[in-house]
Amino acid sequence: MQVEVTRDVFKLAQVFTISRGSRTEAKVLTVRITDGEYQGWGECVPYARYHETLESVEAEINALPEAFDRDTLMDLLPAGAARNAVDCALWDLEAKRAGKSVWELAGLDSPGPEITAYTLSLDTPEKMQAQAAENAFRPLLKIKLGTADDMPRLEAVRAGAPDSTIIVDANEGWSAAVYADLAPHLVRLGVTLVEQPLPAGEDEALLGMDRPVPVCADESCHDRTSLPKLKGKYDVVNIKLDKTGGLTEALRLRDAALAEGYDVMVGCMVGSSLAMAPATLVAQGASVVDLDGPLLLAEDRDNALTFDDKGVHPPVAALWG
């Protein structure tokens, strides 16, 4: 097999801001694996929060041996962006070899569209209200928060989109005291989920804390080894392929989390339709789907995913799988 890694940059439709900073473009790595006759591909988004860079992830991929498969890949690379792109490329390659869809190879039911959240970037209350009003037609909005002064933003978004379901992502930006203070207002404003309110290393404070709105583990949950540390703290786990290290582990994490009584959210980094395509399979039947990466871009891959009033649709074979 030949493994090729390239860097791609996709401009964002507008500046995207979370509690950790802002960006104007999505920088991704594209992996192509060729066996002579067929080629499969995948995409990953190296994430600084997990000590990943384009250079470090590219080096991990380039250090792989000449021969490996999805099973041996699990031992060759840790969970993370590098393994994600390679694992998804291998699934795509296998599907093309077999003349079948990835969902058939994985023993899954035929996938359909799933309603996805649309993310509102962290900004002033006035600008967030304008964002909410512009997207009030969407059934599910996700608000990026994570400061000690988020109450006006919550009020503004609800005023801008009175009928949308709202979920909140604090990106580890709150303290236990801030979360406890905001919790009753989250209920009042109809928020249905809170992602990672506390830093992953400080989430012991969630033990025994009243959770009137379900709390979702994002930065605290990477793969199946994370699950024992979540007990008593979280109600939902956010599965992202760049954290699990690919579709293979994402499907296993989903099954394990459901078996342990967690609800499942399927999320994404800001990437192209190629990055979202495998995640649409994990998202089938999930409690919350957040695969809006392509909606935040000013440009996308050819044969991009379809988004309509039914949600995000599974990929066509010309894109992936």
Side-chain angles (χ1 to χ4, degrees):
M1 292 191 305
Q2 289 187 328
V3 180
E4 178 189 8
V5 188
T6 57
R7 301 184 186 188
D8 291 299
V9 179
F10 296 91
K11 294 180 181 178
L12 302 188
Q14 59 188 25
V15 177
F16 185 74
T17 302
I18 66 172
S19 61
R20 283 190 286 268
S22 302
R23 68 179 73 177
T24 59
E25 56 190 15
K27 297 179 179 180
V28 310
L29 290 177
T30 305
V31 170
R32 293 174 175 82
I33 301 180
T34 307
D35 68 358
E37 183 176 359
Y38 299 100
Q39 177 180 273
W41 68 339
E43 176 184 313
C44 68
V45 183
Y47 201 45
R49 169 63 179 81
Y50 305 131
H51 312 293
E52 296 174 334
T53 65
L54 291 167
E55 293 77 15
S56 70
V57 172
E58 189 172 4
E60 283 186 275
I61 297 169
N62 285 330
L64 286 168
E66 290 186 7
F68 59 89
D69 57 22
R70 282 193 297 105
D71 290 331
T72 56
L73 179 65
M74 300 289 285
D75 297 320
L76 292 171
L77 290 175
R83 196 176 77 192
N84 174 33
V86 177
D87 180 76
C88 292
L90 287 172
W91 275 108
D92 189 37
L93 180 64
E94 290 176 37
K96 287 172 178 172
R97 282 174 175 165
K100 295 183 177 181
S101 299
V102 167
W103 63 265
E104 293 177 289
L105 296 179
L108 304 173
D109 293 333
S110 177
E114 292 283 345
I115 294 295
T116 179
Y118 178 82
T119 304
L120 305 184
S121 180
L122 180 67
D123 212 320
T124 64
E126 294 76 19
K127 289 183 178 179
M128 291 188 76
Q129 182 168 345
Q131 286 184 65
E134 184 180 346
N135 291 281
F137 68 95
R138 301 184 189 275
L140 179 59
L141 295 178
K142 174 174 169 175
I143 316 173
K144 287 290 188 180
L145 297 177
T147 76
D149 190 31
D150 280 334
M151 196 63 235
R153 294 184 174 96
L154 276 166
E155 298 276 11
V157 170
R158 177 48 81 199
D163 298 322
S164 299
T165 297
I166 292 176
I167 60 177
V168 163
D169 185 1
N171 279 118
E172 305 180 278
W174 292 341
S175 65
V178 168
Y179 169 63
D181 183 57
L182 285 176
H185 298 288
L186 298 175
V187 175
R188 175 176 61 83
L189 294 170
V191 173
T192 61
L193 183 77
V194 179
E195 273 188 81
Q196 200 69 42
L198 308 185
E202 301 173 19
D203 61 1
E204 293 294 318
L206 291 171
L207 285 169
M209 184 178 286
D210 186 30
R211 299 195 297 271
V213 175
V215 176
C216 178
D218 184 359
E219 286 85 351
S220 288
C221 182
H222 290 250
D223 57 13
R224 284 171 293 166
T225 64
S226 303
L227 291 177
K229 305 170 189 175
L230 307 182
K231 291 185 182 298
K233 305 176 189 176
Y234 297 97
D235 311 290
V236 186
V237 297
N238 188 346
I239 300 174
K240 294 178 180 175
L241 272 66
D242 275 313
K243 294 188 302 176
T244 65
L247 177 62
T248 301
E249 176 63 18
L251 291 171
R252 293 172 181 174
L253 173 57
R254 181 188 67 176
D255 292 345
L258 292 172
E260 293 193 21
Y262 295 101
D263 285 335
V264 164
M265 175 180 183
V266 177
C268 65
M269 308 303 184
V270 182
S272 80
S273 283
L274 178 59
M276 307 302 124
T280 63
L281 303 186
V282 188
Q284 298 299 301
S287 296
V288 180
V289 176
D290 178 26
L291 297 178
D292 63 342
L295 296 177
L296 306 177
L297 303 179
E299 52 192 3
D300 198 359
R301 307 271 185 182
D302 292 338
N303 305 298
L305 293 177
T306 296
F307 292 82
D308 58 23
D309 58 358
K310 295 181 180 178
V312 54
H313 290 251
V316 295
L319 175 65
W320 181 89

